[in-house]
Amino acid sequence: TYGVDHDLRTKDSLGFNYDGYVFDGWALSPTGKTVYADGGAISSNEKYRSTYDLYAVWIDETEVVARIHIDGNGGKVDGATSYIMYLRENDTIIEPSKYYIGHTFSKWEVQDGSNWVDYPFPTVCNFEGDVYVRATWNTNTYDVVYHSNDSRHLTATISVTYGAETAMTSATTLN
């Protein structure tokens, strides 16, 4: 349906398993890079295709040196609310696609002990172990301008924050 994200089935729900390998997600070609996370979604914002051929991406578990645990923090990253990116040494890292209706992406943060600090998303895997990353978002605001549409040409402007109820009250006056 147009305008609605389509949730993808997980590899477990499909019964896919490959002994000795970890599942990294779905690619659009047999040798392609992961573009959809396990349990992710095809966004309604994507270019229309009549058929989506999705190919499992498997990584030999003995080659995995690092994992980035990615949290959409209310939004979606590679179509999922959260997922794990499995990496081999010197893998090129592609920053996940990200969206959150009514919000604008701000930055990535990484967990450093009990704190979250700015995290420039790496482009190459030159680290080992687990890294916990989350997206941060700014809630969109916009102005609504009311016009009297008469000979007085009066206007009233209110600022609206996405997701918040805002009513034009008697305190809102036309100028």
Side-chain angles (χ1 to χ4, degrees), residues 37-175:
D38 194 21
I42 295 174
S43 169
S44 60
N45 297 328
E46 291 186 36
K47 182 180 175 186
Y48 171 77
R49 298 171 188 234
S50 60
T51 301
Y52 285 80
D53 287 311
L54 301 179
Y55 298 85
V57 177
W58 301 98
I59 298 175
D60 184 326
E61 63 188 10
T62 63
E63 296 177 8
V64 174
V65 296
R67 293 182 299 243
I68 300 178
H69 302 257
I70 302 172
D71 181 0
N73 197 20
K76 300 254 181 145
V77 286
D78 280 353
T81 55
S82 65
Y83 74 100
I84 299 172
M85 183 184 292
Y86 296 93
L87 302 167
R88 294 170 289 233
E89 189 175 351
N90 296 317
D91 263 357
T92 299
I93 302 172
I94 298 171
E95 183 176 348
S97 64
K98 52 213 171 284
Y99 71 96
Y100 188 3
I101 295 173
H103 297 76
T104 302
F105 177 77
S106 173
K107 63 186 174 185
W108 294 105
E109 292 180 330
V110 64
Q111 192 169 21
D112 183 12
S114 61
N115 298 316
W116 289 91
V117 297
D118 290 0
Y119 183 68
F121 217 87
T123 55
V124 175
C125 180
N126 56 6
F127 56 93
E128 292 183 359
D130 291 285
V131 176
Y132 294 83
V133 177
R134 71 178 179 191
T136 59
W137 308 91
N138 294 320
T139 305
N140 294 341
T141 60
Y142 50 94
D143 290 336
V144 176
V145 180
Y146 296 91
H147 299 270
S148 66
N149 204 23
D150 61 16
S151 62
R152 297 174 298 162
H153 303 287
L154 302 174
T155 61
T157 303
I158 60 172
S159 183
V160 177
T161 301
Y162 179 83
E165 291 189 29
T166 305
M168 188 166 173
T169 65
S170 60
T172 306
T173 57
L174 295 172
N175 301 317

